[in-house]
Amino acid sequence: MLFFLVGEALRDLRRGGRVAVSAVLLITLSLTALGAFWVLSLNLGRALVQWRDRFRVVVYLREEPPAGQVEGLLKKIEGVGGIQRLRYVSKGQALQALRRQIGGQASVVAELPANPLPASVEVTPAGEAMTPEGTRALIQRLSALAEVEEVQGGTAWVEWLAQLQGLLQAIGLSLGAVLALAAILTATTATTLVLHARREEMEIMRLVGASEMVIRLPLLLQGLIQGFVGAAMAVGGLYGAYRLALPTLEPLLSFTLGLPRAAFFAPAEIAVLVGGGGLLGALGGLMAKGERPA
Amino acid sequence: MIQLKSVSKVYRVGPVKVTALDGVSLEIEKGEFTVLAGPSGSGKTTLLRLLYRDEVPTEGEIRVAGFDVTGMRRSRIPHLRRAVGVVFQDAKLLPARNVYDNVAFVLRVLGTPRREITPRVMQTLKAVGISARAQALPAQLSQGEQQRAALARALIKEPALLLADEPTGNLDEAMAEEILYLLSDIWNRGTTILLATHRATLANQLKRRTLVLDGGRLLKDEA
Ligand SMILES: Nc1ncnc2c1ncn2[C@@H]1O[C@H](COP(=O)(O)OP(=O)(O)OP(=O)(O)O)[C@@H](O)[C@H]1O
Ligand SMILES: [Mg+2]
């Protein structure tokens, strides 16, 4: 029975001919567009997570507190709320860090008459305060403290990334949706052609008492096959493009976004794409108008 | 096997109503060979189509092979169709498949186990005398051979009832006689048969119970 149903589905695909091929290509196209934007937004998302993780608000203090009061000051700062972690950096530590950073020119630092660097507290906002508004509010609360000279911590860059990701997702989704619609319609046309070619057969099937399931299932299957083939081609094409672009893309990514590696889809995400393809094809198969049984 | 109670069928073609059957009641027992006669347009085909629920009556009740045809749910229709074999004036064979595949097609769509298919098809083809042309395409067969293949297709699922609508309509007399002989043979093996024909001579010559329709009414019912 299974052999028969799959055999009929393959026969149907052949009967769908050029339209079936167009349906497959359109499914490929729509999933490629969707997938391309998805993979971009995926990598941006990873960059975002990394950036958010590294993100600090730096609170510069008016004066270096005496050693015994550091603890109390940190408590006070933490008291403003929305803070995950904080770390005190004394004037001395700041200078050491500067020395390490400039390395070879360390002698320049040695020649300074006095340590010009202020003491500071590095604040990592809590997850819920990580939004642009949350960060802005946090910065305001910190600035209001008497001990605080200045607060630094621009969220502009992270915000911009988040917006870019949103934009990519929107473009990808709308382009993918338009193409998916075209793909479904083409799959429907292909199936309708098959229905016409099969009219006699379906008539005989109904006459001899085949169940509707047996009559309709090959149609659904040929739609599914169209979808799977299209999806497989899309994933293959995207992977090929990814491998080709990798040598040029990776240095660029690590330079601009600080991402060491450009990621491709995980197996689960590939499964989603292939499943989506199957769904597109199957919908086409289901939506085809055949003459209904009497 | 077949019961009709006051069955009427009115076709609507736009604003026009065509009464194809008008208050027909009849009963046919299991194992009978009945002829349905009457002039062209008298409602024979309509009556047969009601029996395998290709159409639904406008009024009345129909029972066929234990099925309540008028009241049955759509999902039950395939079960009725499996119990009823149908052949038409034109054989309605699938042109792209050979005789063997046309007949095997039925068993395949009904989910018969694969190893049972070949022996059953060959046996049925033999029974209707066309096993030698199993590999031929319908277009390569004579009308009589096509009708035999169509009979094989109707009989392969071993229906309790065989409906034959003008099965000799396209055949010359000698071939028509062969098909009628074949039908008697099938009947002798226990299948109930209802044969529709507008040829009065044919109906008389068979010497079977004959139901005569005229203008959608049952005129005569004679043995
Ligand atoms: N689908 C239909 N729509 C409208 N009218 C129909 C339809 N089928 C049959 N009729 C009409 O119903 C009447 C009976 O037709 P039917 O085909 O049952 O006659 P018949 O006895 O089989 O004729 P024949 O011997 O020519 O095959 C005719 O007047 C016909 O025009
Ligand atoms: Mg007729």
Side-chain angles (χ1 to χ4, degrees):
Chain A
M1 196 62 175
L2 195 66
F3 278 111
F4 172 75
L5 291 174
V6 173
E8 288 300 294
L10 291 177
R11 191 189 268 254
D12 285 347
L13 267 183
R14 247 177 288 130
R15 282 190 272 211
R18 255 182 236 178
V19 184
V21 172
S22 319
V24 169
L25 289 181
L26 269 168
I27 289 171
T28 307
L29 216 64
S30 82
L31 290 178
T32 304
L34 210 84
F37 281 96
W38 190 10
V39 106
L40 283 178
S41 129
L42 211 70
N43 280 296
L44 260 185
R46 285 174 57 234
L48 266 176
V49 168
Q50 198 175 312
W51 276 89
R52 288 208 168 120
D53 198 46
R54 285 188 197 157
F55 178 65
R56 307 263 189 284
V57 172
V58 183
V59 179
Y60 294 104
L61 302 172
R62 285 188 202 285
E63 280 161 24
E64 182 164 40
Q69 290 174 27
V70 170
E71 201 59 17
L73 181 65
L74 289 183
K75 279 249 162 61
K76 187 173 175 188
I77 292 179
E78 204 165 10
V80 305
I83 290 174
Q84 185 191 336
R85 261 182 286 130
L86 27 66
R87 187 169 78 88
Y88 174 69
V89 181
S90 69
K91 283 173 75 93
Q93 285 166 333
L95 192 65
Q96 262 175 19
L98 182 66
R99 276 212 194 93
R100 239 180 289 122
Q101 271 176 22
I102 56 180
Q105 279 88 29
S107 56
V108 180
V109 176
E111 278 162 31
L112 290 170
N115 182 352
L117 299 174
S120 62
V121 178
E122 286 179 13
V123 171
T124 306
E128 68 271 15
M130 199 65 99
T131 61
E133 304 80 51
T135 312
R136 220 172 289 130
L138 177 63
I139 289 174
Q140 260 169 28
R141 291 200 302 273
L142 289 169
S143 307
L145 295 175
E147 293 85 346
V148 173
E149 168 86 43
E150 193 192 350
V151 183
Q152 266 185 13
T155 50
W157 170 237
V158 181
E159 264 173 70
W160 183 77
L161 271 188
Q163 272 169 8
L164 185 63
Q165 190 192 19
L167 188 70
L168 279 179
Q169 281 170 350
I171 294 176
L173 277 180
S174 41
L175 196 65
V178 169
L179 288 168
L181 200 69
I184 292 179
L185 290 180
T186 316
T188 306
T189 311
T191 309
T192 308
L193 280 187
V194 169
L195 270 174
H196 274 279
R198 281 189 74 184
R199 217 181 18 231
E200 282 182 320
E201 257 162 58
M202 293 175 69
E203 208 176 292
I204 296 297
M205 282 170 141
R206 295 209 165 95
L207 180 68
V208 301
S211 61
E212 277 307 303
M213 200 270 288
V214 171
I215 298 173
R216 305 285 302 189
L217 207 59
L219 286 177
L220 190 70
L221 277 181
Q222 58 96 30
L224 262 179
I225 293 174
Q226 285 176 19
F228 283 143
V229 172
M233 285 178 17
V235 171
L238 282 173
Y239 189 69
Y242 164 77
R243 293 307 300 238
L244 275 179
L246 211 53
T248 28
L249 210 62
E250 254 178 6
L252 197 72
L253 272 181
S254 75
F255 180 68
T256 54
L257 295 180
L259 271 184
R261 256 177 31 77
F264 194 65
F265 295 119
E269 287 154 346
I270 291 179
V272 167
L273 274 180
V274 173
L279 193 72
L280 289 184
L283 269 178
L286 279 180
M287 275 167 46
K289 275 200 278 296
E291 67 282 51
R292 295 253 104 214
Chain B
M1 181 62 69
I2 300 176
Q3 287 171 318
L4 272 72
K5 274 190 207 151
S6 325
V7 170
S8 297
K9 175 68 188 177
V10 180
Y11 289 109
R12 285 169 180 279
V13 187
V16 185
K17 288 185 185 178
V18 182
T19 303
L21 288 176
D22 186 2
V24 174
S25 298
L26 60 87
E27 195 151 334
I28 292 173
E29 297 295 329
K30 186 174 188 299
E32 274 193 80
F33 189 137
T34 312
V35 178
L36 184 60
S40 189
S42 57
K44 303 181 297 295
T45 298
T46 300
L47 197 151
L48 294 191
R49 290 178 66 198
L50 293 178
L51 296 183
Y52 62 96
R53 209 174 191 283
D54 197 28
E55 280 286 353
V56 283
T58 316
E59 260 174 63
E61 279 170 41
I62 302 175
R63 293 190 63 84
V64 173
F67 291 89
D68 172 11
V69 177
T70 30
M72 80 195 319
R73 280 196 284 132
R74 176 164 289 195
S75 59
R76 293 283 296 160
I77 295 176
H79 297 271
L80 167 71
R81 302 260 172 98
R82 282 169 220 168
V84 180
V86 190
V87 286
F88 308 92
Q89 178 165 356
D90 57 325
K92 288 197 206 290
L93 298 172
L94 299 173
R97 305 185 193 229
N98 65 28
V99 170
Y100 176 91
D101 284 329
N102 261 282
V103 178
F105 184 71
V106 177
L107 294 183
R108 291 190 189 123
V109 302
L110 295 183
T112 309
R114 276 153 75 83
R115 68 195 135 67
E116 281 180 35
I117 292 180
T118 304
R120 274 180 68 181
V121 172
M122 289 319 291
Q123 189 191 339
T124 308
L125 290 181
K126 207 170 281 171
V128 300
I130 198 174
S131 52
R133 307 302 313 270
Q135 300 306 321
L137 290 172
Q140 299 165 334
L141 298 178
S142 76
Q143 301 273 4
E145 288 168 329
Q146 286 184 33
Q147 204 52 271
R148 284 170 193 270
L151 269 169
R153 182 175 64 191
L155 295 171
I156 185 82
K157 59 189 171 160
E158 295 169 350
L161 171 66
L162 178 67
L163 304 175
D165 191 359
E166 220 79 69
T168 61
N170 286 348
L171 307 180
D172 69 23
E173 237 160 89
M175 259 205 223
E177 220 157 285
E178 278 182 31
I179 293 294
L180 289 178
Y181 182 80
L182 185 56
L183 285 177
S184 300
D185 195 34
I186 292 162
W187 171 65
N188 277 324
R189 283 183 237 169
T191 310
T192 308
I193 294 184
L194 180 57
L195 166 68
T197 178
H198 65 260
R199 292 201 232 170
T201 47
L202 190 81
N204 292 336
Q205 161 196 343
L206 276 166
K207 299 197 171 52
R208 304 277 178 211
R209 175 186 174 192
T210 303
L211 304 165
V212 183
L213 277 176
D214 198 0
R217 289 171 172 278
L218 194 58
L219 275 195
K220 278 189 276 183
D221 182 352
E222 53 196 23

